[in-house]
Every structure is written in structure tokens, then in C-alpha cells.
Amino acid sequence: MKLPVRPDLTGIEPVRFYPEQPVAVDCLRLDKLHPQLSGNKWFKLLPWLQAARAGRAAAIATFGGVWSNHLLATAAAAHHLGIRAYGIVRGEPLSTACLRDVQALGMELLFVSRSDYRALQQLPGRLPLLPDNVFVIPEGGRGLQGIRGAAAMLDTVPLPGRYTHIAVAVGTGTSLAGILSAAAPHQQVIGVSALKGDDRLSEEIRRWVPGKDGQFTLSFQFHFGGYARHNTALLDFMYQVYATQQIPLDFVYTGKLFYGICAMIKENYFSPDDRLLLIHSGGLTGNRSLPVGSLAY
Ligand SMILES: *Cc1c(COP(=O)(O)O)cnc(C)c1O
């Protein structure tokens, strides 16, 4: 499938949160793949798009909120592939910079109430409000296809075996499940949840990736009050990372991941011989929802 992503631009960069940091940390810059089709979204989408094409679908449809990296990535992919796309958006009709970009890429939007949004996601296959032969991609690309796609993120890492821990931001947990399925037995996968959540997600991950129970941990300590919640400590931290490392983070996902891992390093969660890989899962769309001037990048 020909898409304008640039895997050659991604790569590993060392991260030093503070001068006396006792463990080695690298960041996998998947945010550099493409401005809209960035990070984990591209990896999770690919098998879904291939399935849609194999099934000769007339169009694709997927779900998201008004600042959804997933909607934007899906719209960009569909635009480049010449596939019709529908976006089912949670909540009252609203025009955000993200949704305007999504529409400019040709995606048709359908706004539904929060309860309908949930109900629609339970319907397997066809959605009653869409024409026939529309291939439905679950929210966030979750599910087995998304996991398979996310597993390929590790293929872009030179010498992946040298890392003792791989850390990733968690929304649906699909990216974490993919990484877990591809991780070597000596590696621990750490998920930092962007949502309040609870341990139901751990159970789901165990079902998705059987036989790797002891190989992952989910932290619910760094969500800053819940999905898309934040405070000045988080924004200041993100600014510091940008100023010292030139790594732009978003306050919904990767900001919380980096903040959480930095806090865990300070609490001596890791031993000096450990080597960490932080996945930069891309998606800076959420930052555009902040008041102008909140972030210096
Ligand atoms: C969507 C998203 C995530 C969450 O990924 P899941 O596979 O749903 O857990 C993490 N980081 C960024 C930047 C995202 O856009």
C-alpha cells in the first residue's frame, strides 16, 4: 500500500531528563513518519486498510472525538488511497482545527450522541446510518488487526534486543498489546495510561496477547485526572523536554508517558543496568486544543 509516510526519518534519540539520570533512555521518534499519519496510528491502520481493500469495501468508516489523532490519520490515509471515508464523531457538532483538517481531506463527518456513539461501536460490521459495503475500523484501530500492525513498530528499532524495558502511552491498549506480542522474553513492557481506567484493560491485554502475563505493567498513576486532563506541571515538563531534547510531546498521551517514566526513574523503579525505549507514538493534534501560547512549540 503506497502512502507518503517516511520511515527513513524516524529513528532512535537518547533522552536525558536530568544530568545525573542513572539509566539510559532512548526515544523512538515515530512522530516523524508524517504530520498527519503519524506514530502508532499509521501502524495500527495499515492491516485494517489492507482488510478493507481485500474485502473490496466501497468506503471505510471509523470513530473518534473532536481532537482525534485516529480520525485525522484515517482521513489522511483514505485521502491518499482514494478511498471514501466517514468519521463518526462523539458529541454535538463542533468545528475544531482537527475536524476542519479531517474534512479538508475529504472525510464525511456524522455527529452522534455519546450514548449512540457507544451503541454504534457494539454493532459488528455494518452501521445502519451508512451506505452498504462500508468497512468499519474500530475506534483507535483497536482489535487484532491493530495489534498486528502495532507489533511492527519494533521492526523499526535498530538492535531492539538491547532494551530491558519498552514504554508506551496507553489509550485503547492496542499499541501496548502489539509491542508486547513482539517483545523478547527478557523485556518488560510498561504502559502509562492516558485515561483514569482500571485493571479491566490489563485483563483485556492478557486475552489479546496470551502467555505474557508477567511481561507487562500498566500504570494508572500519571493520567493527571483523566483523558485530556492536564495541569501546568505537565505542560512545564513538556516544555522542558522540548527545550532540552527538541522532542515535541502532546499533553494527552506522550507528555504523560514521558512524565511518568521520568518520575519512575526518580523513584528508582529501574536499576542502573536497565536500558529503556520510549515509544513516541506521534499525534500532536490534541495540543491544538490548548489556548494559544500554552506551549512554546
Ligand atoms: C492514539 C494514541 C495513543 C494510544 O494508543 P492505543 O493503541 O490506543 O493505546 C498513544 N499515543 C498517541 C500519540 C496517540 O495518538
Side-chain angles (χ1 to χ4, degrees):
M1 224 169 236
K2 261 199 103 50
L3 282 165
V5 294
R6 295 283 306 273
D8 55 306
L9 293 182
T10 69
I12 297 290
E13 290 173 10
V15 179
R16 191 156 278 278
F17 289 114
Y18 52 101
E20 63 281 18
Q21 173 181 305
V23 283
V25 181
D26 284 341
C27 173
L28 175 64
R29 293 290 306 270
L30 295 180
D31 56 312
K32 292 182 175 178
L33 274 177
H34 185 274
Q36 293 166 328
L37 256 173
S38 85
N40 60 350
K41 296 300 184 283
W42 148 247
F43 286 92
K44 293 195 287 182
L45 272 172
L46 188 60
W48 284 115
L49 295 169
Q50 285 166 335
R53 185 163 269 186
R56 301 186 183 284
I60 56 172
T62 194
F63 301 85
V66 297
W67 295 105
S68 166
N69 287 322
H70 170 68
L71 273 190
L72 183 58
T74 308
H79 178 77
H80 288 294
L81 294 169
I83 304 175
R84 269 186 83 160
Y86 298 91
I88 296 155
V89 185
R90 182 180 51 211
E92 292 295 307
L94 199 69
S95 174
T96 64
C98 170
L99 291 183
R100 285 193 290 276
D101 286 355
V102 161
Q103 283 173 307
L105 289 162
M107 182 180 263
E108 201 174 308
L109 298 181
L110 299 152
F111 290 88
V112 298
S113 70
R114 280 166 192 272
S115 56
D116 282 355
Y117 186 84
R118 238 170 321 192
L120 282 169
Q121 292 197 61
Q122 308 304 322
L123 280 184
R126 266 200 294 146
L127 294 175
L129 51 153
L130 294 174
D132 280 350
N133 199 15
V134 174
F135 186 92
V136 178
I137 300 176
E139 184 183 43
R142 77 188 295 155
L144 292 179
Q145 306 279 17
I147 293 173
R148 198 157 58 78
M153 290 196 284
L154 288 191
D155 295 345
T156 65
V157 180
L159 303 175
R162 68 185 150 154
Y163 296 103
T164 54
H165 296 77
I166 304 170
V168 66
V170 169
T172 63
T174 309
S175 300
L176 182 138
I179 290 167
L180 182 62
S181 71
H186 69 278
Q187 295 176 317
Q188 275 291 324
V189 182
I190 300 173
V192 175
S193 181
L195 291 75
K196 257 186 191 153
D198 54 42
D199 261 355
R200 262 182 311 184
L201 184 57
S202 307
E203 255 168 63
E204 202 162 7
I205 291 166
R206 273 185 220 113
R207 245 182 307 143
W208 284 337
V209 191
K212 292 201 162 185
D213 284 19
Q215 235 186 299
F216 77 95
T217 10
L218 271 186
S219 167
F220 293 99
Q221 272 187 67
F222 304 107
H223 53 63
F224 286 83
Y227 183 71
R229 298 295 180 89
H230 60 282
N231 61 20
T232 46
L234 178 63
L235 299 187
D236 287 350
F237 172 82
M238 288 163 52
Y239 175 69
Q240 279 307 317
V241 172
Y242 185 73
T244 58
Q245 321 282 309
Q246 288 76 54
I247 300 177
L249 302 172
D250 79 295
F251 76 89
V252 183
Y253 292 108
T254 53
K256 294 178 182 180
L257 167 71
F258 276 58
Y259 187 100
I261 295 299
C262 179
M264 287 166 76
I265 294 173
K266 287 181 175 165
E267 289 160 10
N268 295 316
Y269 180 92
F270 303 99
S271 65
D273 294 335
D274 287 342
R275 190 169 188 118
L276 279 52
L277 180 66
L278 310 190
I279 309 286
H280 193 317
S281 39
L284 300 174
T285 312
N287 286 349
R288 296 165 76 192
S289 70
L290 294 171
V292 176
S294 308
L295 278 172
Y297 59 88

